Amino acid sequence: MTDPIAKLREAIAAAAEGLSGDSVPPFSLEEPPKPEFGDYSTNVAMLLAPSLGEQPRAVAERLSAELSARLGEGLDRAEVAGPGFLNLFLSDRWYREAGASLAAAGEGLGRVEEGGGERVLIEFVSANPTGPLTAASGRHAAYGDSVARILDAGGSEVAREYYVNDAGGQIERFALSVAARMKGEEPPEDGYGGAYVAEVARQLEGEGVGAEETGRIAERGAELMRQGAEDTLRRYGVEFDRWYSERSLHAPGGGMHEALIALRERGDVYESEGATWLRTTSYGDDKDRVLIRSDGEPTYFLADIAYHRDKLERCDWTINVLGADHHGYVDRLKAGVAALGLDPERLQIEIIQLVHVIEGGERAQMSKRKGEFVTLDELIDDIGADAARFWMLQRSHETTVDLDLELARRQSNENPVYYVQYAHARIASILRKAGEELVSAALADSSGASAPLEPAERALSRRLLQLPQEIESAAERRTPHRLCAYAMATAADFHAFYRDCQVVGAEGEGVEAERIRQCVVTKRTIARTLELLGIGAPERM
């Protein structure tokens, strides 16, 4: 789509180049804190002043004249402020042409092409298949899926992957726990005690699996948990392209075998104390790591290296979404990748902080081992997938989330997801009232209105114009919470617009059509933003 803000930036850059005769360094173009300072402000004059040998304010004056010639009737006036900022006051005509551009974008609204077709693999959730997904896994799922959606909107080829930890000690303990229930006994002290363990035991018994067949219990029990996770995530709006089994890496001649050979060939593997080690300190880790224990068992670290070797063969770069207790994994994983001779910068790691589910002012307990936790299914049943995702995403992934169930259940403006979805539904109601014929005519009408724009119209227009930059920033920083904030701000601006500006039946030549068109663009903008968050945009509420 044509981005009016990008075109404005291009005009400023061209004007600056006209003064300097050279390319212009990166400059800011921001909305001033107060409307009286203009619609947008730029610091480009201060950046040009040293090379031109002039005072910044003098450069800003010259830039103002140059920019006026380029923007013509699109610029009402430009004012020099402070040490050399240039404040731009754009005309109603500029806003109307910008609005028409947004309306013409149709379903392509907010589409940016920054990814260049890069292949990106995002691995997220990857909870051990030893129990149902918890509410905490819901935050990982919402974050990873939203980042995938945002990167896809930016032109990347995105694949979603779930790493199934179906090998190792936790699976053995899970199998022993299920076997104990099959015998009518309590699980081992270090096993799993949730009611779901008994349910798995009953299902396996129905399939003819015996309590003594711990190998079959481990494999089939983990698969049942994986299937349950897949069903839950589908309810949550998350679909994975691949479920990658750790067990496959352990097969004879499999990924771990090949990775170990590759590491040995590079000369950083050594033997000590009966174990096989990797010299990760050569690659920034704080200590060397064991690959194979003295009892001959491979470590999780070797499996991780093998898995990342495989991942990086299938993509240009990969993102790992890890839990708050995995800070120590960052350096060792990057060191393992570097030890393979691969660029560790191709591995990006995002750490997700904790979720506290609050009910009646009290935190719910979270212990999968003890069977005391809020499942993601229970959360969806209680507040719905849309509310759960919005609450999980509205804070930075680097901060803890307190999910207040009582507030999340409310159908009021205090509930952020309700507030945003209600704005979308209200616009849908307005457009239904206007009728399909009037809406179609408004979208086809590019003549524009003659009456001056109301302040609320201009404020809403500026907000709608931010969408491409918000998506681009969210993609670059891996911060979907920015889109939650943007959706809420857009809803607030629309509610103010609707309060101050009559839409259907508005007086003045072209005013009704223009406001209907703005409603359509606002509706599309909210829907697009919610789509990138994996949240529905209802037509009625």
Side-chain angles (χ1 to χ4, degrees), residues 349-366:
I349 298 176
E350 301 291 345
I351 300 293
I352 306 292
Q353 292 303 316
L354 301 174
V355 175
H356 296 144
V357 177
I358 310 297
E359 176 74 271
E362 299 290 332
R363 289 183 185 175
Q365 296 300 310
M366 293 287 186

Side-chain angles (χ1 to χ4, degrees), residues 98 100 118 124 167 275 304 365 368 499 505 518:
E118 286 186 315
F124 59 106
D304 285 338
Q365 296 300 310
K368 188 181 285 188
R499 178 196 64 213
Q518 191 161 28

Side-chain angles (χ1 to χ4, degrees), residues 50-182:
S51 62
L52 294 176
E54 300 178 33
Q55 291 297 316
R57 288 183 62 89
V59 175
E61 291 286 359
R62 292 175 58 200
L63 183 64
S64 172
E66 183 76 19
L67 194 56
S68 295
R70 291 179 180 275
L71 292 178
E73 294 182 10
L75 183 66
D76 185 50
R77 67 185 190 280
E79 295 179 355
V80 179
F85 288 102
L86 188 62
N87 294 339
L88 308 178
F89 295 78
L90 300 171
S91 67
D92 286 356
R93 176 172 178 171
W94 185 89
Y95 274 103
R96 288 185 166 118
E97 290 177 352
S101 175
L102 295 181
E107 298 306 314
L109 191 68
R111 186 79 187 182
V112 293
E113 298 294 338
E114 297 295 328
E118 286 186 315
R119 298 172 304 152
V120 182
L121 192 158
I122 305 181
E123 183 235 319
F124 59 106
V125 184
S126 300
N128 290 341
T130 54
L133 293 181
T134 66
S137 296
R139 189 176 193 192
H140 288 242
Y143 176 82
D145 183 59
S146 295
V147 169
R149 291 167 183 257
I150 292 165
L151 291 175
D152 179 72
S156 296
E157 296 179 13
V158 183
R160 298 163 173 83
E161 189 156 295
Y162 190 120
Y163 182 61
V164 184
N165 300 100
D166 53 0
Q170 84 279 355
I171 296 297
E172 293 174 5
R173 290 189 292 274
F174 176 60
L176 292 174
S177 301
V178 174
R181 289 302 188 193
M182 294 170 80

Side-chain angles (χ1 to χ4, degrees), residues 408-468:
R409 294 180 189 120
R410 290 181 197 166
Q411 293 190 354
S412 72
N413 289 343
E414 295 175 294
N415 183 350
V417 66
Y418 178 87
Y419 183 70
V420 173
Q421 289 182 321
Y422 179 70
H424 184 272
R426 170 178 265 185
I427 299 171
S429 176
I430 294 169
L431 297 178
R432 284 195 298 271
K433 179 180 178 181
E436 186 175 334
E437 184 177 341
L438 189 55
V439 172
S440 298
L443 290 173
D445 183 3
S446 59
S447 60
S450 57
L453 290 173
E454 295 289 339
E457 290 180 275
R458 294 172 72 95
L460 179 57
S461 293
R462 277 197 301 276
R463 186 73 65 189
L464 299 177
L465 289 167
Q466 292 173 0
L467 180 61

Side-chain angles (χ1 to χ4, degrees), residues 111-287:
R111 186 79 187 182
V112 293
E113 298 294 338
E114 297 295 328
E118 286 186 315
R119 298 172 304 152
V120 182
L121 192 158
I122 305 181
E123 183 235 319
F124 59 106
V125 184
S126 300
N128 290 341
T130 54
L133 293 181
T134 66
S137 296
R139 189 176 193 192
H140 288 242
Y143 176 82
D145 183 59
S146 295
V147 169
R149 291 167 183 257
I150 292 165
L151 291 175
D152 179 72
S156 296
E157 296 179 13
V158 183
R160 298 163 173 83
E161 189 156 295
Y162 190 120
Y163 182 61
V164 184
N165 300 100
D166 53 0
Q170 84 279 355
I171 296 297
E172 293 174 5
R173 290 189 292 274
F174 176 60
L176 292 174
S177 301
V178 174
R181 289 302 188 193
M182 294 170 80
K183 299 173 187 176
E185 301 172 356
E186 290 294 316
E189 187 175 337
D190 62 347
Y192 296 85
Y196 68 89
V197 177
E199 294 175 10
V200 173
R202 284 192 293 272
Q203 183 159 346
L204 292 183
E205 286 177 321
E207 295 177 3
V209 179
E212 72 286 354
E213 299 178 273
T214 53
R216 288 186 64 191
I217 293 172
E219 185 173 354
R220 180 59 180 151
E223 176 58 18
L224 289 174
M225 290 292 97
R226 190 207 67 78
Q227 290 174 356
E230 186 171 9
D231 292 341
T232 299
L233 290 166
R234 188 173 293 115
R235 293 183 66 202
Y236 201 49
V238 179
E239 297 270 1
F240 282 93
D241 298 296
R242 184 171 184 175
W243 296 74
Y244 192 108
S245 169
E246 180 188 349
R247 188 185 294 269
S248 66
L249 296 171
H250 291 252
M256 286 199 297
H257 175 75
E258 294 178 353
L260 186 58
I261 291 175
L263 291 170
R264 288 188 187 279
E265 288 176 348
R266 291 186 57 81
D268 290 309
V269 175
Y270 64 94
E271 309 295 324
S272 178
E273 301 174 356
T276 302
W277 296 70
L278 179 64
R279 193 172 286 105
T280 52
T281 50
S282 298
Y283 302 95
D285 198 4
D286 59 345
K287 62 180 180 180

